[in-house]
């Protein structure tokens, strides 16, 4: 297939590090006060004890969530320099270099966060990404996704920082929302920069879905009369 595995390799080789260097100063200023993921968790009254963030950069969000919730936190990011920086700044976190389709071998967690990374993943890997993250989410755990969410289905834009790479935009909550064992608890759509503008290509969303094995045992609602 055209470009298969290409994006992951480029991000692991160098673009992950270059992305981190471009965004590092902004990342170091980020707080939970204006973080859409934290706002959603607070709205739902969640108190996670074990958290995995996929696409965690240097772990800035995890470090603040760990402090706020007293949670044990794991993070994965393709940028070795981001993980190295985060391991130095936040020694209490468990950070590893990797990609969304090959997650670390850790205990199940009760909150998984996709921290704005799925749009850069190869679409061919999405089944593997969904299955791998589901395997690490404990029953009654929360799958949380921050990413682009345009109204017009799946499409791609050229990735502005590197030739032959793309930003793939779609409703990534559907990776789990189709499954009868997941129930969508929360969805909020906003402009990428937080403004009131509703330009379709710039729309992002936070979605939180709860995994609940009880939903899989539903009885036939149509008994014979």
């Amino acid at each position: 297939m055209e470009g298969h595995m290409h994006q992951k390799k480029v991000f692991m080789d160098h673009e992950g590090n270059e992305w981190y260097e471009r965004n590092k100063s902004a990342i170091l200023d980020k707080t939970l006060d204006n973080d859409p993921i934290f706002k959603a968790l607070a709205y739902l009254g969640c108190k996670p004890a074990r958290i995995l963030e996929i696409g965690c950069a240097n772990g800035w969000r995890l470090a603040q969530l760990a402090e706020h919730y007293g949670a044990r936190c794991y993070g994965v990011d393709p940028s070795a320099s981001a993980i190295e920086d985060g391991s130095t700044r936040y020694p209490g976190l468990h950070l590893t270099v990797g990609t969304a389709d090959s997650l670390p071998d850790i205990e199940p967690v009760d909150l998984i966060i996709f921290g704005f990374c799925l749009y850069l993943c190869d679409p061919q890997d999405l089944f593997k990404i969904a299955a791998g993250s589901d395997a690490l989410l404990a029953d009654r755990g929360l799958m949380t996704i921050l990413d682009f969410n345009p109204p017009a289905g799946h499409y791609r834009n050229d990735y502005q920082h590197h030739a032959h790479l793309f930003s793939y935009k779609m409703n990534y909550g559907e990776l789990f929302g189709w499954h009868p064992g997941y129930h969508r608890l929360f969805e909020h759509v906003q402009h990428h920069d937080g403004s009131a503008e509703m330009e379709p290509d710039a729309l992002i969303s936070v979605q939180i879905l709860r995994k609940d094995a009880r939903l899989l045992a539903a009885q036939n609602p149509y008994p014979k009369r």
Side-chain angles (χ1 to χ4, degrees):
M1 291 184 190
E2 174 206 357
H4 184 38
M5 302 300 286
H6 178 67
Q7 303 223 150
K8 178 171 76 168
K9 185 174 188 313
V10 173
F11 273 85
M12 288 294 285
D13 286 351
H14 56 83
E15 177 55 28
N17 289 340
E18 290 165 19
W19 181 95
Y20 184 59
E21 288 309 314
R22 285 195 304 271
N23 292 280
K24 186 174 179 179
S25 59
I27 284 170
L28 294 177
D29 288 339
K30 287 179 180 283
T31 67
L32 293 184
D33 295 340
N34 54 6
D35 178 39
I37 288 175
F38 179 66
K39 286 180 182 174
L41 294 171
Y43 175 80
L44 291 175
C46 303
K47 295 185 171 58
R50 297 181 309 283
I51 304 171
L52 167 64
E53 183 173 10
I54 301 163
C56 67
N58 70 347
W60 69 270
R61 178 185 287 114
L62 283 172
Q64 296 180 54
L65 293 175
E67 188 175 342
H68 185 83
Y69 293 117
R72 181 175 178 86
C73 291
Y74 302 90
V76 180
D77 196 272
S79 167
S81 56
I83 295 298
E84 186 180 346
D85 182 34
S87 298
T88 304
R89 284 177 197 276
Y90 315 118
L93 303 180
H94 306 272
L95 305 178
T96 51
V97 178
T99 52
D101 68 312
S102 70
L103 297 172
D105 183 15
I106 60 171
E107 60 182 335
V109 297
D110 49 19
L111 172 63
I112 290 180
I113 296 170
F114 283 95
F116 223 95
C117 62
L118 286 166
Y119 76 102
L120 296 173
C121 294
D122 294 291
Q124 296 90 338
D125 291 338
L126 291 177
F127 282 119
K128 193 174 179 187
I129 289 167
S133 54
D134 170 70
L136 288 179
L137 186 63
D139 190 34
R140 314 283 173 92
L142 302 178
M143 192 68 76
T144 300
I145 301 161
L146 173 65
D147 218 299
F148 286 108
N149 191 353
H154 181 270
Y155 62 92
R156 68 186 193 184
N157 291 335
D158 290 334
Y159 180 64
Q160 63 191 66
H161 303 291
H162 195 287
H164 312 303
L165 294 188
F166 301 96
S167 298
Y168 292 96
K169 300 188 177 182
M170 61 175 271
N171 180 347
Y172 284 101
E174 293 304 313
L175 285 179
F176 306 96
W178 68 270
H179 192 279
Y182 277 88
H183 173 228
R184 188 178 272 101
L185 298 180
F186 181 95
E187 182 169 10
H188 177 74
V189 179
Q190 64 183 71
H191 191 279
H192 184 253
D193 65 10
S195 72
E197 178 61 45
M198 282 289 144
E199 167 58 36
D201 187 54
L203 294 182
I204 66 169
S205 71
V206 178
Q207 298 183 58
I208 299 182
L209 300 98
R210 172 174 278 139
K211 177 180 179 176
D212 191 338
R214 295 174 301 180
L215 298 172
L216 299 176
Q219 297 301 304
N220 177 6
Y222 312 110
K224 287 191 171 70
R225 292 184 175 179

